[in-house]
């Protein structure tokens, strides 16, 4: 069964001096302020589209990797995934780098790296972002 998740943004003003608020409608987890400076300069307590993509990608990748490892008979004890989304003003998102560190009893580094590559290729967020270069570093704890 398909699911739809919803968020919305209210933006006021022009790009450089304006600002907005992102509301997480489906989960009800609240609102986060956004602005051009928080996107192109320092965050200063505000989020950005790139940070939201990083959150989505790190969580989706972790779920996909956990599922793949469990399906192969080596369920993880713990996975910690970081997604670095690089934004270049005037160009857009220029790349995403995933870093995952895992505790997976019974699995060697080569097997973990292979499972991580598969998750990187097949998680739904990676597939949605297929037009972006996505790199990966995977290591066991």
């Amino acid at each position: 069964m398909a699911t739809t998740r919803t968020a919305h943004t209210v933006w006021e003003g022009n790009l450089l001096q304006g600002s907005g608020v992102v509301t997480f409608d489906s989960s009800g987890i609240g609102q986060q302020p956004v602005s051009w400076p928080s996107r192109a300069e320092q965050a200063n307590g505000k989020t950005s589209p790139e940070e939201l993509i990083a959150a989505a990608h790190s969580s989706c990748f972790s779920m996909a990797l956990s599922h793949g490892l469990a399906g192969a008979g080596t369920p993880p004890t713990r996975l910690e995934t970081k997604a670095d989304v690089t934004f270049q003003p005037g160009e857009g998102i220029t790349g995403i780098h995933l870093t995952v560190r895992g505790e997976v009893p019974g699995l060697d580094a080569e097997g973990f790296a292979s499972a991580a590559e598969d998750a990187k290729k097949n998680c739904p967020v990676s597939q949605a972002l297929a037009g972006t270069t996505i790199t990966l570093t995977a290591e066991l704890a």
Side-chain angles (χ1 to χ4, degrees):
M1 183 165 118
T3 59
T4 301
R5 299 294 182 254
T6 305
H8 77 274
T9 300
V10 175
W11 186 268
E12 296 177 348
N14 65 28
L15 175 62
L16 298 180
Q17 286 83 36
S19 63
V21 175
V22 177
T23 302
F24 299 90
D25 299 316
S26 299
S27 64
I29 61 172
Q31 300 179 324
Q32 291 295 315
V34 295
S35 68
W36 177 255
S38 70
R39 184 177 196 183
E41 299 165 17
Q42 296 298 315
N44 292 323
K46 297 178 183 176
T47 194
S48 67
E50 291 72 28
E51 184 177 37
L52 297 171
I53 289 170
H57 206 177
S58 66
S59 60
C60 183
F61 172 86
S62 295
M63 289 181 202
L65 180 54
S66 176
H67 181 67
L69 290 167
T74 53
T77 303
R78 184 174 198 275
L79 298 172
E80 183 176 339
T81 305
K82 179 174 81 165
D84 294 307
V85 178
T86 302
F87 174 73
Q88 177 63 47
E91 288 182 49
I93 294 173
T94 57
I96 300 170
H97 183 75
L98 298 169
T99 303
V100 61
R101 183 174 176 87
E103 296 174 14
V104 187
L107 188 66
D108 63 15
E110 185 178 323
F112 184 68
S114 177
E117 280 293 335
D118 187 63
K120 180 189 85 160
K121 181 175 75 171
N122 292 308
C123 93
V125 172
S126 288
Q127 291 177 349
L129 300 171
T132 302
T133 300
I134 302 170
T135 57
L136 170 69
T137 301
E139 64 179 39
L140 290 171

